[in-house]
Amino acid sequence: MRAMLTKADQWLIGILLFLSVTGIGFSAYAFPSGNRQSAEIWVDGALLKTVPLKEGYRQEIRIGGEVRYDIIQVEGTRIRVREADCPEQICVLTGWIDKAPQQIVCLPYRIVIKVVSAAQPEIDAIVR
């Protein structure tokens, strides 16, 4: 014997389906998990600052004093060491980074800049 749905049951199922789809759509719009990235600036193994990497965000951060300094520039979704007085300038020559898990390292002054993301990193290869 087949159970028949009443008109009220059909309305209830329709309303619940509508609310479910609307809730999923709202949560995907309001709380995107996609490309939220930030940069962590570490000095001597301690986290100095975390800066967001997002469109429209700009900041310059000076680490150090008149000598032994790095100037870090954040522009939108990317970050770099703009200027440093270290001898080799490897941190400056690294240029812009914008994807996790890229890093910039200034060995003489023990500064590490890491791009971190909530999203899974893209894997090029796995070596065993």
Side-chain angles (χ1 to χ4, degrees), residues 15-50:
I15 290 171
L16 290 175
L17 282 173
F18 174 76
L19 290 175
S20 298
V21 170
T22 305
I24 291 170
F26 175 74
S27 65
Y29 173 76
F31 308 108
S33 62
N35 201 12
R36 268 189 250 149
Q37 293 192 134
S38 59
E40 296 177 345
I41 302 171
W42 295 77
V43 179
D44 287 328
L47 181 63
L48 175 71
K49 187 172 191 150
T50 301

Side-chain angles (χ1 to χ4, degrees), residues 1 4 17 26 29 32 35 39 41 47 52 54-55 64 74 83 87 92 100 102 109 112 114 116 119 122 124 126:
M1 202 187 241
M4 298 292 287
L17 282 173
F26 175 74
Y29 173 76
N35 201 12
I41 302 171
L47 181 63
K54 61 183 181 180
E55 290 297 330
V74 181
E83 185 181 327
V92 176
Q102 293 176 326
Y109 305 147
V112 178
K114 300 178 185 180
V116 294
E122 296 177 16
D124 290 341
I126 297 176

Side-chain angles (χ1 to χ4, degrees), residues 22-118:
T22 305
I24 291 170
F26 175 74
S27 65
Y29 173 76
F31 308 108
S33 62
N35 201 12
R36 268 189 250 149
Q37 293 192 134
S38 59
E40 296 177 345
I41 302 171
W42 295 77
V43 179
D44 287 328
L47 181 63
L48 175 71
K49 187 172 191 150
T50 301
V51 294
L53 298 178
K54 61 183 181 180
E55 290 297 330
Y57 185 79
R58 298 178 96 115
Q59 184 177 10
E60 278 199 2
I61 303 160
R62 183 182 181 100
I63 298 174
E66 290 298 314
V67 293
R68 296 183 53 101
Y69 69 89
D70 279 17
I71 298 175
I72 299 168
Q73 180 181 9
V74 181
E75 187 175 290
T77 60
R78 57 192 192 157
I79 187 168
R80 72 174 178 167
V81 176
R82 182 175 59 84
E83 185 181 327
D85 71 340
C86 54
E88 298 295 321
Q89 298 285 304
I90 294 173
C91 54
V92 176
L93 295 174
T94 301
W96 294 100
I97 60 173
D98 60 356
K99 292 179 181 61
Q102 293 176 326
Q103 296 183 25
I104 299 173
V105 179
C106 181
L107 284 178
Y109 305 147
R110 303 188 63 189
I111 298 171
V112 178
I113 303 167
K114 300 178 185 180
V115 175
V116 294
S117 174

